[in-house]
Amino acid sequence: MAESGKIDPMHQFAIEPLFGTDHLSIGGFNIAFTNSALYMVAAAVVLWIFVIGGMKRELVPGRWQMAVEYFTGFIKNLLISNVGEGGKKYIPYVFSLFMFILLANLLGLLPLGLVGVHPFTFTSHFTATGVLAIMSFSIVLIVGFWKHGLHFFSLFVPHGTPLPMIPVIFPIELISFMVRPFSLGLRLFVAMTAGHVLLKVLAGFVINSSNAGPGFGLTVGAASFVLMIGISALEVLVAVIQAYVFALLTSVYINDAENLH
Amino acid sequence: MPQIAQIADTYASQIFWLLLTFGFVFFVIGRGMVPKVQATADARDAKITGDLDAAKAAFARADEVEADYRVRDAESRTAVQATLAKAKADAAKASEAKLAAADAEIQVKIGAAEARIKAATDAAMAQIETVAADAARDMVARISGVEASDEAARNAVKAALAHG
């Protein structure tokens, strides 16, 4: 962080090794335990604790069990409505994906800066979202070729395409298919990054305008602060929606692989 | 932008820890725990559906029992009515027979009584004839001084009685 009110809104995305693990490596690759990794672990642990609370397996569920079952039921309905009954076997994957991204987004929004901890949103890094997107895409490819063999390529020729159009349609469909992992990963990364940058920029306005004098502070600063409150609420919504979009698109893509057309 | 500026230094760490944590999430939570949670919810749904079906079946059975009851009720009503009608007819027949018997008996009694009355009337008539004949003879003797024969007096009385 620079001096004299110069606030770098991008600093929040900086990855820093923690606990002196800077040079931890496997096979020449650096695998330092960073603040990003810390938040991944936190998301996994919070999710673990959350789901443990739903493991009471009572016939009449308590509030916590009800909440966990609500999420599993939500994912189940998502898969059934997009893929059909065959989609049920993807519940573990899509549930993991949805909850992991959701918790990552929400944990990154926690106002931990108030107690001196730097919150970090690893879903604002395309290295992380890219891995998740490639995983979803790989499942689509593996399931598609496993179930349909080379017939899977018929996915790129929509029903009722006239024969002369096939040489044109096929590359277009192929490209739109190949773009999927990028759009999937980049959408989440961009949404989270943009939201956090916006919040940080507005926070910078509040601080810098207050430093410039009470007149600026009460006008620009107060307005920015009010805006921040609204955008913080919006960001919570975006955190949920982006996790949902990721899970939804994954299930839509799985539907292509599972049912072809 | 640290995401791009740091990529060369951090991509391996990011991928490694993401795969590690997501692997934990997928295998332990997604594969290990979610199916159990889902099974509980499915079992509950199945139980609710089963209970509802059982309730529906019980309802249907109750309807059936009621219909059955109604049929039997109607049947027993007709049976009772038939019995009642039969009893009424029997009673009527029995009373008719008794009435007829009593009637016959009464007829016999009336006949006997009439016969007795007739006999009594005849006897009385006979006595009246005798008394009247005696009276006629007395009247004849007193008026004319002639002793009328018993037979003549009797004939005269008979003739008078016959004329009324």
Side-chain angles (χ1 to χ4, degrees), chain A residues 15 31-32 36 59 69 124, chain B residues 3 6 13-14 17 38 44:
Chain A
I15 293 175
I31 53 152
S36 175
L59 187 62
E69 283 173 5
S124 64
Chain B
Q3 285 97 325
Q6 288 186 306
S13 154
Q14 285 281 79
W17 287 105
Q38 195 55 49
R44 179 182 315 117

Side-chain angles (χ1 to χ4, degrees), chain B residues 15 17 46 52 60 63 76 84 90 96 117 123 134 143:
Chain B
I15 293 169
W17 287 105
L52 281 181
D63 283 350
S76 49
L84 207 64
D90 283 355
E96 217 170 87
I117 289 166
D134 284 349
I143 294 166

Side-chain angles (χ1 to χ4, degrees), chain A residues 154-237:
Chain A
S154 73
L155 182 67
F156 308 130
V157 183
H159 270 304
T161 311
L163 202 63
M165 292 297 285
I166 288 179
V168 186
I169 296 284
F170 189 87
I172 293 174
E173 289 284 325
L174 182 64
I175 290 167
S176 81
F177 181 77
M178 296 309 285
V179 161
R180 282 175 179 183
F182 297 98
S183 66
L184 199 58
L186 288 177
R187 180 184 297 110
L188 179 57
F189 147 68
V190 166
M192 298 321 292
T193 303
H196 283 262
V197 168
L198 187 57
L199 281 176
K200 206 61 66 140
V201 166
L202 286 170
F205 282 175
V206 175
I207 293 165
N208 287 343
S209 64
S210 302
N211 286 342
F216 285 112
L218 286 174
T219 52
V220 179
S224 299
F225 189 71
V226 170
L227 198 57
M228 267 189 83
I229 295 172
I231 289 176
S232 294
L234 183 70
E235 279 308 303
V236 174
L237 187 68

